[in-house]
Amino acid sequence: MEDRIMSQGYVERYGLNFFCDENNFRSIYRSGLLDFMDSAVIYIDKNFFITYWNLAAEKLYGWAAEEVEGKNMDILFCNQFDAEKKKKFMNKMLKNGRFDFKITHKTRDGNVIIINSRIIPIKCMETIRGYLVINNPLGLDDFRADIKKNYNIVKTIFENTTDSIYLKDLNGHYIMINKAGSAVFGKKPEEVIGLGDRQLFPDTEAEEIIKCDKELMEGGETRTFEETVHSIGTPKTYLSTKGPYRDSKGNIKGLFGISRDITPIKEAEENMAYKALMLSQVNDAVVMVDNEKCITYWNKGAELIYGLKSGEVMGKPREDIYKWSTSESERSAYQKLEKNGYWHGENAHVRWDGKKIHAETTLSTIKNENNEKIGILAVIRDVTERKYLEKKLTESEERYRIMVEKAKSGVLLIGSRGHIKYINKKMAEMLGFKAQEVFNRNIFELIDDKTLRTFRNHFKLDKGNPFEVKFTRKDGSYLWALVSTKTLFKDNNEYMGSILILNDITARRDVEKSLMNAMLEKDRNFKLIVGNMAEALKLLMKQEYSEDYDREYT
């Protein structure tokens, strides 16, 4: 575009730059480059009515463009001039192609200012179509360089921005598009020029885009909105600003558009929304505070634990809602948080209503992209009930421990491989050891070989019936015990050990042995007597005595 403008409109007759030709001036005017000028630039038609008023003119005179466009340039003069006199003056002064002079103008608020003004005629086929008025101008060469510089700036932005920038005609065909815009379709800019939306988008999307563009042009409005398209198969979301673009007379010639790919932002927003939804549903309290310890986030879990809705706590100091029960524990936790960026532990909170809760808390430091601390995130689990149950269990365990210690029976806790994990006082006395002497010893080492198999067959089973086992005491003597077992299992049904309850039956076994020995002694004596009577008894077997026996005893 720059080469085309530079090659056209050079008017040798006046020795002026390219913008004196109406076509070239229109190109510059439509590009918006004149709005970048530091000098006030005004374009008036041949009847001296203002048709263009740049931003510098707005700043210099105080009138907005829409307030002066269509009005006679007389509004700038302190004195009124006859229209015919102005034409003759202009024609006389412009016979050399331009006119530089100083003139007195007035501003909107009535202030009088002296303007260094330059007037240049804008021609078409040697016919004056209007006048370009440059007030407070630079030198002409500087002015041209300024336009070229500003054009290059716009061109650089146009070509290098990551936003899609494009122009379409009234029929929806692309007449201008930058590299970022054409890359959306996987094409070069020159490959997109002349194509319409139906050739670039899926049918349904193309019809929606065409309908939207038509509404914008017909309504003459500019709008910013989100749109999702499948340009090369992958859906992408764009934040688009679209509106009609007009010629110098205000006629709509097509549509301009600037579209920014916000797909990553939308995905991040959706991800954040999903995480926020997840956080809002967890039973643990999730609380975020800023550097002043004022609450900036409060989920449903926090509402349940502390009894206040999010709207009731947002922006309030955290200490108004709950406090740590002791300042020492809070100070210690925050010192570790400051050092490590993380703290986890149990503490007690006092709620706003005075109720005390036990909490399992995790604190984390929150930092921004510049690694600056912006707050603290707390994840809090109410463990009040658990602490109560633990206390009751501890009390219950203490009672059972006392009962076991004072029991008249021996009690052993055996691990999965037979190692002694607990022995009560009675059992230690029965074996003649101190508890620490047998702790972690394998119980098989204390059992006599004759009853070891019986023990191995029973100690992992709950058969219900007690069995007898012979133990070896520390002094080498033996101990007979009647053993009952209770097996223990993990949650996955894996064997973890057994509880053994033992009663000393050594005395009974000794009595039984004495009785047995006495019986055996009597049996031996009886056998001796019978043995001595053997010959006599043999006679009973003879026939001659049998008849007498029959008569006597039958």
Side-chain angles (χ1 to χ4, degrees), residues 240-258:
S240 297
T241 298
K242 293 183 180 181
Y245 94 86
R246 305 170 187 268
D247 62 15
S248 59
K249 296 180 180 180
N251 299 316
I252 295 176
K253 292 296 184 180
L255 179 123
F256 78 87
I258 303 173

Side-chain angles (χ1 to χ4, degrees), residues 330-376:
E330 182 176 11
R331 184 166 51 252
S332 174
Y334 276 88
Q335 285 175 349
K336 292 177 181 177
L337 175 66
E338 189 71 24
K339 179 181 179 181
N340 304 317
Y342 174 87
W343 178 83
H344 178 81
E346 290 189 1
N347 59 319
H349 289 169
V350 179
R351 298 191 340 173
W352 57 276
D353 57 0
K355 182 179 179 181
K356 186 176 180 180
I357 66 170
H358 291 275
E360 183 181 301
T361 304
T362 300
L363 300 177
S364 303
T365 301
I366 306 171
K367 296 184 178 181
N368 60 16
E369 60 274 9
N370 298 322
N371 203 35
E372 298 168 337
K373 179 185 173 184
I374 59 174
I376 296 172

Side-chain angles (χ1 to χ4, degrees), residues 47 49 97 175 191 219 244 312 360 385 406 430 462 474 480:
N47 295 316
F49 287 96
I175 57 177
E191 295 175 324
E312 298 176 283
E360 183 181 301
E385 184 177 357
K406 292 184 176 181
M430 289 165 60
D462 284 329
K474 183 178 181 179
W480 278 96

Side-chain angles (χ1 to χ4, degrees), residues 32-81:
L33 292 177
L34 295 178
D35 277 332
F36 289 89
M37 298 298 298
D38 294 327
S39 299
V41 179
I42 305 167
Y43 181 62
I44 55 177
D45 63 19
K46 60 184 180 181
N47 295 316
F48 307 104
F49 287 96
I50 298 169
T51 61
Y52 176 77
W53 183 273
N54 77 342
L55 296 175
E58 291 185 356
K59 184 176 179 181
L60 179 63
Y61 292 102
W63 280 291
E66 57 265 26
E67 294 179 292
V68 298
E69 287 176 357
K71 292 185 178 181
N72 196 287
M73 195 176 179
D74 285 348
I75 65 171
L76 301 180
F77 298 130
C78 297
N79 299 313
Q80 299 299 312
F81 298 97

